[in-house]
């Protein structure tokens, strides 16, 4: 049975921005990894759509719907969530909390996502995760390796540790970790607003 939130989007659709943008936001990879080390011992939650991957794709929720404590519902909130708040693990990641404070747009779910060595995220699309639909998903690699291939619309989006990337996940995308180490990203869901619009314009212009 397929997840009803997943569907392919026609490639003929017109979009304002490219399907991937490296955003002009600086991060400190060392401090990101220090924060990761502080929570690595926690129980990672297997991704809730098992048909979309092979191997081990798991999540640690840092921020989710207000009052929600169930890890899956923190990762995938029910429609109509009243708002979002930091979860208990955010207190153990002070640099990530400070970094998120630089995003002057409404933040929704924030989590760490791990794809272990030899694992694969199969081609799929995430409904409405496009700037033009008002919702974006941003990826910040914390740990990666040369064997990781993140493909959007069939072409690789090269993401190095510490970079901040928008990828239009309403389009078909997949990830293969052919390396011998895990790949771990900080993944941020946010609502598009004027600040994010200006940031995307700068990125599109090469700024």
């Amino acid at each position: 049975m397929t997840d009803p939130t997943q569907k392919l989007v026609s490639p003929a659709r017109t979009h304002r921005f490219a399907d991937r943008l490296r955003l002009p936001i600086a991060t400190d990879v060392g401090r990101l990894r220090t924060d990761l080390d502080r929570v690595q011992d926690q129980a990672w939650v297997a991704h809730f759509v098992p048909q979309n991957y092979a191997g081990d794709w798991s999540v640690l929720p840092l921020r989710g719907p207000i009052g929600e404590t169930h890890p899956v519902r923190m990762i995938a909130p029910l429609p109509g969530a009243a708002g979002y708040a930091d979860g208990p693990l955010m207190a153990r990641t002070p640099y990530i909390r400070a970094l998120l404070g630089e995003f002057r747009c409404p933040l929704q779910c924030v989590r760490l996502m791990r794809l272990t060595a030899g694992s694969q995220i199969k081609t799929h699309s995430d409904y409405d995760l496009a700037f033009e639909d008002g919702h974006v998903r941003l990826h910040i690699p914390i740990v990666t390796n040369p064997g990781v291939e993140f493909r959007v619309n069939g072409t690789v989006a090269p993401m190095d540790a510490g970079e901040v990337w928008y990828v239009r996940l309403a389009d078909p995308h997949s990830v293969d970790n052919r390396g011998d180490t895990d790949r771990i990203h900080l993944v941020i869901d946010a609502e598009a607003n004027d600040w994010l619009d200006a940031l995307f314009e700068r990125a599109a212009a090469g700024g």
Side-chain angles (χ1 to χ4, degrees):
M1 181 176 180
T2 58
D3 180 357
T5 66
Q6 311 284 321
K7 70 177 187 178
L8 297 183
V9 176
S10 169
R13 182 180 177 189
T14 300
H15 291 280
R16 182 174 161 201
F17 293 108
D19 63 6
R20 80 284 310 269
L21 287 172
R22 181 183 172 187
L23 303 183
I25 297 175
T27 73
D28 186 318
V29 177
R31 295 175 72 185
L32 284 169
R33 290 177 177 165
T34 297
D35 275 5
L36 175 61
D37 288 342
R38 292 187 173 110
V39 296
Q40 279 271 46
D41 61 341
Q42 298 299 298
W44 292 72
V45 181
H47 196 282
F48 66 100
V49 190
Q51 65 268 29
N52 277 358
Y53 63 96
D56 181 355
W57 185 25
S58 53
V59 187
L60 277 182
L62 300 180
R63 179 181 175 86
I66 292 174
E68 188 56 77
T69 58
H70 191 285
V72 173
R73 290 193 294 271
M74 287 184 72
I75 297 162
L78 297 173
Y84 295 82
D86 293 346
L89 287 184
M90 190 70 85
R92 298 176 61 175
T93 57
Y95 176 68
I96 289 174
R97 186 172 65 246
L99 178 62
L100 294 174
E102 298 179 17
F103 288 78
R104 296 192 295 277
C105 56
L107 299 182
Q108 300 174 335
C109 293
V110 178
R111 58 275 202 200
L112 296 165
M113 302 192 75
R114 179 179 66 186
L115 187 68
T116 61
S119 297
Q120 174 193 53
I121 301 172
K122 301 175 184 178
T123 302
H124 68 286
S125 298
D126 296 296
Y127 177 60
D128 274 357
L129 279 178
F131 179 92
E132 293 80 6
D133 293 321
H135 299 91
V136 302
R137 180 164 293 169
L138 308 177
H139 278 253
I140 305 176
I142 300 176
V143 178
T144 189
N145 66 73
V148 173
E149 288 190 353
F150 194 131
R151 293 181 177 272
V152 183
N153 289 314
T155 63
V156 173
M159 302 183 191
D160 288 334
E163 296 177 346
V164 182
W165 283 84
Y166 161 72
V167 280
R168 191 169 63 230
L169 300 183
D171 288 0
H173 58 281
S174 64
V175 187
D176 286 285
N177 184 356
R178 299 188 178 95
D180 55 9
T181 59
D182 295 346
R183 183 220 74 165
I184 301 176
H185 283 195
L186 176 65
V187 180
I188 304 163
D189 286 354
E191 294 180 24
N193 66 357
D194 289 345
W195 177 81
L196 207 55
D197 187 300
L199 189 70
F200 276 40
E201 288 284 4
R202 282 177 56 197

